[in-house]
Amino acid sequence: MNNSFSSYRSLFPILSEYVHVASCSQGAIAQPVSQAIEDYHNELLSLGTNWKQATLKLEATREKFAELINAEPDEIAILPSVSDALSAVATSLSYHPSKNEIIVTDMDFPTVGHVWYAQEKYGATVSLMRSLDGGIPLKQYEKDVTERTLLTCMSHASYENGIVQNLKGIADIVHKKGSLLFVDASQSAGHIPIDVKEMNIDMLATVTRKYMLGIPGVAFLYMKKELAEQVKPRHTGWFGQESETKFDIFHSTYAAGSRRFETGTPSFISVYAAHAALKLLLDVGVSPIHFYLKELSRFAKEFGVQNGLQINLPFDTEITSGITSFHMANASEIEQRLKEKNILVSARNNVIRIAPHFYNTKEEVAYAITELSKFAK
Ligand SMILES: Cc1ncc(COP(=O)(O)O)c(C=O)c1O
């Protein structure tokens, strides 16, 4: 393990009892995150109401996420989930018959399809882009995105096989065709560097509970300010107004930038957690985490194959994320059986995902894979 990371291990109480390699589902909770949750609770207990503190924390959290992806704070909306972020975008767009196509890919998390299919009633047409051998080559985007495409949705890293897509390359292609780009970064933010300006990303959403070390209840939506200001969200509320303290029911003035996608009172307890999590993440640094996880996942693949596991990936290891997934029949049952041995992995359909973070050691990954391989025999 990288020496600079080992000093952080003691911040994660779960690691003394469990091998936690399930960051693709829920990252391990660090002591400062746990403390932040308690702080929120204690403020309510001792002050009765902590609205001022909580709204200040909301802004501080927005700033931290903006720093993580190189955006401006008012290009960020804080929402309950990625599904909400997608719905916020979907209910803000206009679907003209000559420009109403939404492309989703079969590598996307199912919620992406669910949200967009629901828009067909309102004029959108959803097209499914299919992966080939577990990934989508750039030439597929060249072929499928046309002048009719309003928006192309894709996952930066696949939730199932961990493949990482080339954001900059895809952004260049979709923009050339006149489409906007929506990136689901739920499986990459926190362990793969993202620079929305350099990559020219129009919209990006991510949960905080996975590699970003937070808990459920907070997701972020980034949208380029100039784009956000062209839309008038139909899914809205007082937090999406220029001033939520105006209390003016007769008028509606959207907030500047992407804040306009916010609706009602956020889950402040999750915001407190997200703030502490982002602070820790920025302190550790996403680039060193990325470097380390590439090494760990290369090891996981090689060690898994040596132990007779079948890898769910025909591609070069360079383009995979921290997730290594192995084909396993009865994956959910195996996840449960490993949990009984204090090993936390994550099942999806017929794969088991091994998803370490910077706080994991190579030995833990090897142990989890050794125990997993016993089910393959
Ligand atoms: C890539 C990806 N996107 C979206 C989601 C779901 O996000 P939410 O539950 O915040 O809508 C998940 C899974 O939890 C995911 O893995």
Side-chain angles (χ1 to χ4, degrees):
M1 175 173 222
N2 179 326
N3 276 343
S4 62
F5 293 156
S6 53
S7 61
Y8 290 101
R9 249 183 92 82
S10 61
L11 292 182
F12 295 86
I14 187 99
L15 302 181
S16 60
E17 287 196 32
Y18 282 82
V19 168
H20 184 305
V21 284
S23 290
C24 56
S25 281
Q26 169 68 62
I29 297 301
Q31 198 279 331
V33 175
S34 163
Q35 182 60 52
I37 293 168
E38 242 176 78
D39 288 348
Y40 178 77
H41 182 204
N42 286 337
E43 280 175 16
L44 280 186
L45 280 177
S46 61
L47 304 172
T49 166
N50 62 348
W51 192 262
K52 179 114 178 82
Q53 290 86 341
T55 49
L56 287 174
K57 191 73 82 179
L58 188 70
E59 293 318 308
T61 306
R62 194 189 309 279
E63 282 171 21
K64 289 246 172 293
F65 181 68
E67 184 183 338
L68 190 85
I69 62 164
N70 190 28
E72 297 302 320
D74 61 6
E75 293 181 303
I76 308 297
I78 299 183
L79 299 171
S81 70
V82 163
S83 305
D84 284 288
L86 281 157
S87 291
V89 172
T91 54
S92 297
L93 296 177
S94 305
Y95 304 102
H96 189 272
S98 64
K99 194 141 183 100
N100 66 350
E101 182 186 53
I102 308 295
I103 292 187
V104 303
T105 82
D106 65 1
M107 288 170 66
D108 291 334
F109 191 75
T111 203
V112 176
H114 303 154
V115 169
W116 289 113
Y117 285 122
Q119 312 312 316
E120 290 200 312
K121 194 174 161 199
Y122 304 98
T125 305
V126 180
S127 300
L128 185 71
M129 189 187 288
R130 291 196 184 274
S131 55
L132 187 70
D133 294 333
I136 304 180
L138 285 182
K139 62 176 189 282
Q140 195 65 41
Y141 286 91
E142 281 281 5
K143 185 163 166 273
D144 288 7
V145 181
T146 69
E147 67 282 357
R148 270 198 54 239
T149 311
L150 176 61
L151 185 85
T152 306
C153 271
M154 45 81 68
S155 287
H156 188 194
S158 154
Y159 76 100
E160 208 176 20
N161 65 14
I163 282 213
V164 178
Q165 299 203 72
N166 174 350
L167 289 189
K168 180 82 175 72
I170 294 168
D172 287 348
I173 294 169
V174 308
H175 290 146
K176 194 175 69 190
K177 307 279 184 118
S179 164
L180 296 167
L181 179 66
F182 182 104
V183 177
D184 180 351
S186 299
Q187 294 292 354
S188 60
H191 80 101
I192 301 181
I194 296 171
D195 182 328
V196 288
K197 299 285 182 250
E198 201 264 322
M199 293 165 163
N200 199 9
I201 294 166
D202 301 307
M203 306 164 201
L204 175 142
T206 178
V207 300
T208 54
R209 69 178 185 279
K210 300 177 191 291
Y211 292 94
M212 278 173 52
L213 311 174
I215 61 171
V218 164
F220 297 104
L221 169 65
Y222 156 82
M223 190 184 287
K224 276 181 184 163
K225 191 171 179 185
E226 61 271 28
L227 279 177
E229 295 196 337
Q230 285 171 36
V231 297
K232 295 188 165 53
R234 298 193 291 281
H235 183 67
T236 185
W238 64 312
F239 268 72
Q241 291 286 296
E242 192 178 48
S243 166
E244 84 263 16
T245 54
K246 243 182 175 175
F247 300 107
D248 175 6
I249 196 172
F250 300 103
H251 303 96
S252 165
T253 311
Y254 286 112
S258 301
R259 287 166 207 256
R260 63 185 56 205
F261 296 107
E262 292 179 11
T263 59
T265 309
S267 170
F268 283 127
I269 198 161
S270 308
V271 170
Y272 274 52
H275 181 263
L278 280 162
K279 193 163 174 287
L280 175 60
L281 207 51
L282 288 164
D283 186 34
V284 179
V286 175
S287 290
I289 294 175
H290 181 49
F291 186 76
Y292 179 59
L293 286 195
K294 267 169 89 170
E295 200 181 291
L296 263 196
S297 56
R298 187 173 303 120
F299 167 74
K301 284 169 188 65
E302 283 166 12
F303 192 73
V305 170
Q306 279 164 23
N307 279 273
L309 291 175
Q310 205 193 337
I311 207 157
N312 182 30
L313 190 77
F315 274 71
D316 187 322
T317 51
E318 287 305 312
I319 55 165
T320 60
S321 66
I323 300 177
T324 301
S325 80
F326 296 107
H327 281 295
M328 301 294 288
N330 310 327
S332 297
E333 193 193 321
I334 293 170
E335 177 191 286
Q336 192 49 40
R337 298 272 298 278
L338 287 175
K339 192 171 184 186
E340 286 158 15
K341 294 181 167 192
N342 287 13
I343 301 169
L344 304 177
V345 299
S346 174
R348 281 284 176 274
N349 297 325
N350 59 349
V351 299
I352 287 284
R353 302 175 298 172
I354 304 283
H357 210 324
F358 72 97
Y359 44 71
N360 290 115
T361 62
K362 202 176 191 178
E363 290 70 29
E364 286 176 317
V365 171
Y367 176 62
I369 291 176
T370 304
E371 291 302 312
L372 176 63
S373 67
K374 292 180 183 166
F375 292 97
K377 289 185 178 135

